[in-house]
Amino acid sequence: MTTYDDRASLTDLTSTAERVRRSMEGVIEGKPEVVRLTLTVLLAEGHLLIEDVPGVGKTMLAKALAKSVDCSVRRIQFTPDLLPSDITGVSIYDQQRREFEFKPGAIFAQVVIGDEINRASPKTQSALLESMEERQVTIDGHSYGLPDPFMVVATQNPVEMEGTYPLPEAQRDRFMARVSIGYPHPEAELKMLDVHGGTSPLDDLQPVAHAHDIVKLIEAVRAVHVAEAVRRYAVQLVGATRTHPDLRLGASPRATLHLLRAAKASAALSGRDYCLPDDVQALAVAVLAHRLLPTAQAQLHRRGAEQIVGEILAQTPVPTAGGAARVPAPPYPAGPVHGAPQQPGARRP
């Protein structure tokens, strides 16, 4: 379990996260669950994929996070003619020094915003693979480390839209979670007209946390305790995706690791130094669904990955405090925003 010093760090975590949350919600109206998931991914050392139709605030969400934290920020507009070297950097020969000099690309920042990532070719998209997984870039045999913290927040339009390329499976698997913002409620949209009508709220947004604060909070999240029963529960959920008849590609072991990290971050944001099965349940759809590939038969019957994950949650026994297992009553839905975390219910025995 955590020590007294760890508990103090947990207190700092909740207060700092609350400041960042309020700052972001001043820009993103009526979407608290999306903001919470974004903070969860940040503190879990993951990367976030925001998928939705144009105009609902995907880039605005990424910019709100970047401006709320005093980190270095780079924005990459993905286009069909974008080259991998534009992202990673390139070695240029210096005639005066008679040697090659590395010129860093846009990936060398603490928060990287990849706007409309699926408008670039798969070759360019693959330039992010090493940096997202190993937090380094290798050019001409030399490896260059990326700064801490490091997070990629990518936006993409639905695949059915004009001029888009589907993300490769390896690319999707490196994103810890996927979220759709969705259309706002009429009241929130009306308030947005007042707030965004004259000037952009991003213009007045000031940092409320520093980069070194985020690094300390990430260390506090790592110290969150996860019981063996909760770890086994996460393994069972992910394992069920590999044998489900409606899925031709299940979740990878990396998905299990991401699910557990996200659950620890969610527990810390709730002020707890221990993880509950509810934390795993609440994040399962957001962490697992975008990695899965339904079969042609499932697609024919309009059964999406989110629905299948919900069924797996309903069928997998949940560990209880007494060491026994119980079958959950209703399945955990994804909510009005697909992949958004739900608040854990007070269902402890």
Side-chain angles (χ1 to χ4, degrees), residues 274-328:
Y274 57 91
C275 194
L276 296 175
D278 285 345
D279 299 313
V280 177
Q281 285 181 325
L283 290 162
V285 174
V287 174
L288 300 180
H290 66 285
R291 310 169 192 263
L292 310 178
L293 290 180
T295 62
Q297 190 72 14
Q299 293 176 337
L300 183 64
H301 291 86
R302 299 185 179 276
R303 286 171 51 78
E306 295 83 6
Q307 181 182 353
I308 296 174
V309 174
E311 293 175 358
I312 292 175
L313 286 170
Q315 297 167 2
T316 306
V318 182
T320 61
R326 60 175 173 80
V327 177

Side-chain angles (χ1 to χ4, degrees), residues 29 46-47 83 100 117 155 222 227 229 237 243 282 309 315 328 345:
E29 300 287 345
H47 309 288
L83 298 176
F100 283 92
I117 186 174
T155 70
R222 292 173 182 168
L237 288 176
T243 58
V309 174
Q315 297 167 2

Side-chain angles (χ1 to χ4, degrees), residues 19-339:
R19 293 199 304 271
V20 177
R21 183 192 64 80
R22 288 198 301 265
S23 176
M24 294 178 64
E25 288 185 358
V27 177
I28 306 299
E29 300 287 345
K31 298 294 179 180
E33 67 281 355
V34 175
V35 173
R36 179 184 171 88
L37 179 61
T38 304
L39 292 177
T40 300
V41 174
L42 172 65
L43 298 182
E45 303 177 86
H47 309 288
L48 182 65
L49 179 62
I50 310 171
E51 179 180 349
D52 217 320
V53 296
V56 295
K58 301 187 301 294
T59 308
M60 187 76 73
L61 174 64
K63 287 184 175 180
L65 172 65
K67 296 199 69 172
S68 298
V69 180
D70 188 17
C71 295
S72 58
V73 181
R74 293 284 184 88
R75 181 177 183 272
I76 307 173
Q77 181 65 53
F78 282 76
T79 56
D81 60 346
L82 189 71
L83 298 176
S85 58
D86 296 331
I87 299 175
T88 59
V90 65
S91 294
I92 300 177
Y93 185 73
D94 191 331
Q95 294 183 348
Q96 294 181 345
R97 300 169 57 184
R98 295 182 180 275
E99 62 181 17
F100 283 92
E101 180 182 1
F102 177 64
K103 298 293 184 181
I107 197 66
F108 285 85
Q110 292 168 313
V111 178
V112 178
I113 303 174
D115 200 14
E116 295 188 310
I117 186 174
N118 60 337
R119 290 201 181 276
S121 65
K123 180 179 73 172
T124 302
Q125 293 175 12
S126 63
L128 292 171
L129 294 179
E130 181 186 11
S131 59
M132 292 176 66
E133 179 64 21
E134 303 177 32
R135 298 176 186 269
Q136 67 176 24
V137 173
T138 302
I139 302 293
D140 296 334
H142 297 280
S143 297
Y144 305 90
L146 296 172
D148 286 327
F150 175 71
M151 180 182 184
V152 175
V153 183
T155 70
Q156 74 167 354
N157 295 317
V159 178
E160 296 80 8
M161 302 202 71
E162 189 83 18
T164 60
Y165 300 86
L167 291 183
E169 288 79 3
Q171 182 80 42
R172 293 201 308 269
D173 196 44
R174 280 165 168 78
F175 285 101
M176 176 173 284
R178 179 185 65 177
V179 66
S180 292
I181 297 179
Y183 292 115
H185 295 292
E187 295 78 7
E189 190 167 7
L190 187 61
K191 185 178 180 181
M192 182 192 69
L193 295 178
D194 296 332
V195 176
H196 299 229
T199 59
S200 172
L202 288 172
D203 298 338
D204 300 326
L205 205 61
Q206 298 296 326
V208 295
H210 297 282
H212 63 269
D213 295 329
I214 301 300
V215 173
K216 291 181 179 179
L217 300 186
I218 289 174
E219 294 175 355
V221 168
R222 292 173 182 168
V224 172
H225 175 71
V226 184
E228 182 180 356
V230 179
R231 295 198 300 269
R232 288 183 179 274
Y233 178 58
V235 170
Q236 289 175 357
L237 288 176
V238 176
T241 66
R242 301 167 188 164
T243 58
H244 199 283
D246 287 336
L247 295 175
R248 57 188 176 93
L249 177 65
S252 65
R254 183 190 288 123
T256 313
L257 182 61
H258 283 181
L259 180 59
L260 204 61
R261 286 179 179 175
K264 292 169 68 173
S266 179
L269 287 173
S270 300
R272 286 184 276 106
D273 61 354
Y274 57 91
C275 194
L276 296 175
D278 285 345
D279 299 313
V280 177
Q281 285 181 325
L283 290 162
V285 174
V287 174
L288 300 180
H290 66 285
R291 310 169 192 263
L292 310 178
L293 290 180
T295 62
Q297 190 72 14
Q299 293 176 337
L300 183 64
H301 291 86
R302 299 185 179 276
R303 286 171 51 78
E306 295 83 6
Q307 181 182 353
I308 296 174
V309 174
E311 293 175 358
I312 292 175
L313 286 170
Q315 297 167 2
T316 306
V318 182
T320 61
R326 60 175 173 80
V327 177
Y332 256 72
V337 179
H338 107 186

